[in-house]
Amino acid sequence: MIEIQDFSFCYPGQEKPVVQHVDLQIQQGEVVLLCGRSGCGKSTLLKAMNGMIPHVENGTFSGTVLLNQKNIAEIPMYLLSQEIGSVFQNPKSQFFNLDSDSELAFSMENAGYPPEQIQRRIEEMTKLFQIQHIRGRSIFEMSGGEKQILAIASVCAAEPAVYIMDEPTANLDISAIEKLKAILKLLKQQGKTIVIAEHRLSYLSEIADMVYYVENGRIAKNYPADAFYRMSEPEREALGLRQLHAIPQNRNSHINHGEEVLTAQNISAAYGKKQILDGLFFKACAGDVIGITGKNGAGKTTLCRSVCGLMKPSGGRFFLHQKACSEKQLQQKSYLIMQDVNHQLFGESVEDECQISLEPEEYPKAEMILEQMQLLPYRKAHPMSLSGGQKQRLAIAAGMLQEKEIYLFDEPTSGLDYTSMLQVKEQIETLAGKGACVFIITHDMELLDLLCNRCFFMRDAHLTEIFADRHFSEIVLEMLSQTGQ
C-alpha cells in the first residue's frame, strides 16, 4: 500500500536532515502508530506519505515513497487527495471555509460528488461523530477541540482509502477521544489503512497493528502492537513515551495555604446571545496550580481570557489581593500561553523570542531556560521552523521569563512527549514555588493528576471545584459519564 525506500529530507536552512534513510512498508488495512520524542521526524514522515513532500513542502529529499507501487512524487496532488485523507496537528491549517457545514462538504465538492450524496454523507458524519452542536457554526467561534473533531469528520466524509493523522487527539477531551477510538475501530473494520503519529498512546492499544519508534529521524525500533503495549514502565520512560494505559497517576498531594491572589465574584461572559460563563465564584492563592477541565466548548478558554484581562466579563468583578481591579491591571499581572502558540511567537530566532522582554544583563536567564527545555541547540533557528512540540516548549519558556503573579496555560502539554511533559511540569512547579498562581486548561489527565493541587470542572457555563482524596482523572471521567457526554 505505502512503501518508503531510503527516504531522507532536509528543510531549507537546516544543515542536518530531519529524516534520514528511512525504509518502511505499510500494508493495506494496517493501522500503524508512529511514536517518539517531540521533533524526532514523525510529522515529516507523514508529509512524505501524503505527498506534501515534495508537492507542497520546500526542502531537499532523496529516496522514494510509493502508493500502490506508484511514485507519490509523480502523482498530482488532486489525485492523491482522493486516495489519502490527512488530519494535521493544527486543524486550522487545513480549513478552507468559514463555517462547519461548508467544511464538511468541501472535499466531496472538490471531488465532484452529486449534491444528494454530499448531503447524505454530511448527515452520516454528523451522527457518527455526534457533532450536531457544531453544525452551521462559524469556525472562528469553535474551541480547539471542536475544530479538531470537525477536521477529522471532514476527512472521513470523503471516504479515502488511506488516513494520515498527526496528533489527532491533541485538543480533544476524554469523551471525544473515546468517540474517535470507536470511529478508528470502524475504519479498521472497513479495511482502511491508517497511519497515526501520536504522543497520547493508550487509546490506540486495541487498534494499532504495528508501532514504529522514531528517533533522530530514523526508525529506531519496531514492535507488534501487543508487544509494544506490554513494555515495562522503566523502558517506556527511557524512550520518552507517555503512559501506555489509561491508569491514574500518583496524585499531587500538595495543599496550598498561600496568600489570596485572585478572587472571582459572580463572573459571567457571553458571545452574542450565548451564555458562556454564568455567575462563577472562586479564589486562587499563591502557589496554587489549578487544573481547568471539562468537555470541548465548555468555556474554559473564555474563563482564562477573562482572568488575564483579554475579555471583559458581562457581569461580576475580579479582585487582586482583595482589591477590585480593572482589565488593564489583570493584563499587567498575568501571562497567557495560548493553545495555538503560533499566535505568540514573534522573534526572528528561538533565542530572540526569549530575549524580547529582557535587558541584556538578563540574557543568561534565557539561555538557562532554553537549556532546561532542551531548546538550546535550536537557539539560532526561526521559531516557525520548529516542530509543534518544540514551539509549545518555546512559548512556555518565553512565558516563564515574564515573572508574573498569575500564569495561564491553555493545553501546555499538547503535542509533547513524556520527557517534555515532565519538563513543563517542573517549570510550572517552580513558578508555583515562587508564589505564582497558575491556571492550566487541560484534557491531559496524566498532567492533571501529576501536577495540579486543585481542579475546576466546567459544564453548562458553570464551574464546580472537585474535592476528593481520589485521582482527579477518575472523578472527571465519572462526571462526564453521569451527564452522558
Side-chain angles (χ1 to χ4, degrees):
M1 186 67 174
I2 298 176
E3 186 175 356
I4 300 176
Q5 300 174 347
D6 194 26
F7 181 80
S8 299
F9 183 81
C10 186
Y11 287 100
Q14 294 190 356
E15 297 179 2
K16 183 180 178 182
V18 69
V19 169
Q20 305 177 61
H21 305 293
V22 169
D23 292 287
L24 183 62
Q25 287 190 345
I26 299 171
Q27 305 301 320
Q28 182 175 348
E30 195 172 22
V31 179
V32 169
L33 167 60
L34 300 180
C35 61
R37 301 178 191 273
S38 300
C40 68
K42 301 185 298 296
S43 296
T44 302
L45 281 174
L46 295 187
K47 290 177 183 178
M49 294 182 207
N50 66 14
M52 289 189 68
I53 298 173
H55 291 291
V56 177
E57 197 75 57
N58 293 324
T60 56
F61 77 96
S62 61
T64 307
V65 181
L66 303 175
L67 174 66
N68 294 326
Q69 299 183 333
K70 296 180 181 179
N71 191 337
I72 278 181
E74 298 173 0
I75 304 174
M77 277 300 286
Y78 77 92
L79 291 177
L80 276 175
S81 66
Q82 295 175 17
E83 292 291 322
I84 302 175
S86 299
V87 177
F88 301 151
Q89 191 170 0
N90 182 353
K92 289 196 296 185
S93 65
Q94 68 185 91
F95 289 151
F96 292 90
N97 298 276
L98 302 180
D99 66 279
S100 56
D101 286 19
S102 298
E103 192 60 40
L104 285 167
F106 180 78
S107 60
M108 294 180 287
E109 289 175 340
N110 239 19
Y113 284 33
E116 60 275 11
Q117 185 177 356
I118 292 175
Q119 192 57 45
R120 176 178 59 80
R121 285 296 293 165
I122 288 176
E123 296 304 324
E124 288 174 356
M125 292 300 98
T126 300
K127 183 177 180 180
L128 180 63
F129 284 87
Q130 301 177 35
I131 53 173
Q132 294 87 348
H133 62 293
I134 64 172
R135 286 285 306 275
R137 281 177 56 190
S138 167
I139 284 171
F140 299 104
E141 295 176 356
M142 295 182 188
S143 70
E146 288 170 334
K147 290 173 185 172
Q148 190 85 9
I149 205 73
L150 173 63
I152 298 169
S154 299
V155 168
C156 289
E159 301 182 277
V162 180
Y163 290 80
I164 304 291
M165 299 186 174
D166 194 356
E167 301 280 355
T169 65
N171 301 311
L172 299 186
D173 61 47
I174 303 171
S175 56
I177 291 174
E178 287 301 310
K179 293 175 190 174
L180 176 60
K181 180 179 176 181
I183 290 162
L184 290 174
K185 286 183 176 179
L186 177 63
L187 293 174
K188 182 175 182 177
Q189 290 170 4
Q190 294 173 351
K192 305 294 185 180
T193 304
I194 306 171
V195 185
I196 301 179
E198 263 289 15
H199 288 300
R200 286 182 173 179
L201 304 174
S202 61
Y203 78 99
L204 292 168
S205 62
E206 303 168 17
I207 302 171
D209 297 307
M210 285 295 298
V211 181
Y212 295 92
Y213 178 79
V214 184
E215 185 174 35
N216 297 324
R218 300 176 184 269
I219 304 293
K221 298 176 184 289
N222 62 81
Y223 309 81
D226 57 349
F228 177 78
Y229 282 96
R230 291 198 304 269
M231 185 186 301
S232 69
E233 285 294 287
E235 184 180 0
R236 172 188 71 82
E237 293 177 4
L239 293 175
L241 299 176
R242 303 296 292 269
Q243 63 188 67
L244 302 182
H245 305 283
I247 54 174
Q249 300 299 295
N250 292 328
R251 178 151 168 226
N252 180 357
S253 59
H254 167 67
I255 303 298
N256 177 71
H257 297 290
E259 176 189 1
E260 185 177 313
V261 175
L262 181 74
T263 305
Q265 290 192 2
N266 202 29
I267 296 296
S268 298
Y271 290 114
K273 295 181 180 179
K274 184 176 181 181
Q275 194 74 23
I276 306 298
L277 306 176
D278 186 11
L280 307 190
F281 290 84
F282 62 85
K283 294 181 180 180
C285 301
D288 268 337
V289 182
I290 302 171
I292 305 175
T293 192
K295 71 167 189 164
N296 295 126
K300 302 181 294 295
T301 298
T302 300
L303 172 59
C304 279
R305 286 173 58 84
S306 300
V307 167
C308 66
L310 291 178
M311 180 176 180
K312 185 175 182 178
S314 58
R317 297 207 67 173
F318 284 106
F319 294 79
L320 280 171
H321 301 289
Q322 302 183 3
K323 294 181 180 179
C325 62
S326 64
E327 283 72 41
K328 184 176 181 180
Q329 288 172 312
L330 286 171
Q331 292 169 17
Q332 292 171 340
K333 296 293 184 181
S334 61
Y335 191 87
L336 170 67
I337 289 90
M338 301 179 188
Q339 184 173 7
D340 184 353
V341 296
N342 291 305
H343 292 314
Q344 61 186 126
L345 297 177
F346 305 105
E348 293 298 318
S349 68
V350 167
E351 186 177 60
D352 182 44
E353 189 67 46
C354 288
Q355 293 175 352
I356 284 176
S357 60
L358 302 180
E359 298 297 329
E361 60 270 18
E362 297 178 300
Y363 287 174
K365 291 167 59 179
E367 184 171 332
M368 180 177 67
I369 198 164
L370 285 175
E371 185 173 11
Q372 291 170 348
M373 302 296 268
Q374 293 189 344
L375 290 170
L376 202 56
Y378 308 97
R379 63 191 302 169
K380 299 300 180 183
H382 195 282
M384 291 300 111
S385 71
L386 302 179
S387 73
Q390 290 166 336
K391 288 179 185 176
Q392 192 83 11
R393 300 206 308 272
L394 176 58
I396 292 168
M400 299 294 184
L401 294 164
Q402 299 298 313
E403 298 185 355
K404 302 288 187 176
E405 286 192 69
I406 302 169
Y407 282 87
L408 304 104
F409 296 83
D410 196 346
E411 296 289 357
T413 54
S414 171
L416 297 190
D417 58 44
Y418 179 73
T419 304
S420 299
M421 184 269 284
L422 291 182
Q423 290 167 349
V424 170
K425 169 184 174 289
E426 290 167 4
Q427 292 298 322
I428 292 175
E429 287 174 334
T430 299
L431 285 176
K434 292 179 179 178
C437 169
V438 183
F439 295 86
I440 302 175
I441 297 175
T442 187
H443 297 305
D444 187 341
M445 296 296 104
E446 189 174 4
L447 180 73
L448 183 68
D449 284 336
L450 286 173
L451 176 61
C452 300
N453 69 307
R454 296 173 64 188
C455 180
F456 294 166
F457 182 84
M458 297 197 65
R459 179 178 57 214
D460 300 329
H462 292 87
L463 178 153
T464 302
E465 180 161 5
I466 294 174
F467 296 99
D469 294 330
R470 288 183 297 147
H471 296 89
F472 287 141
S473 59
E474 292 179 306
I475 302 167
V476 168
L477 280 169
E478 287 175 7
M479 294 180 78
L480 287 169
S481 64
Q482 288 167 5
T483 55
Q485 296 174 20

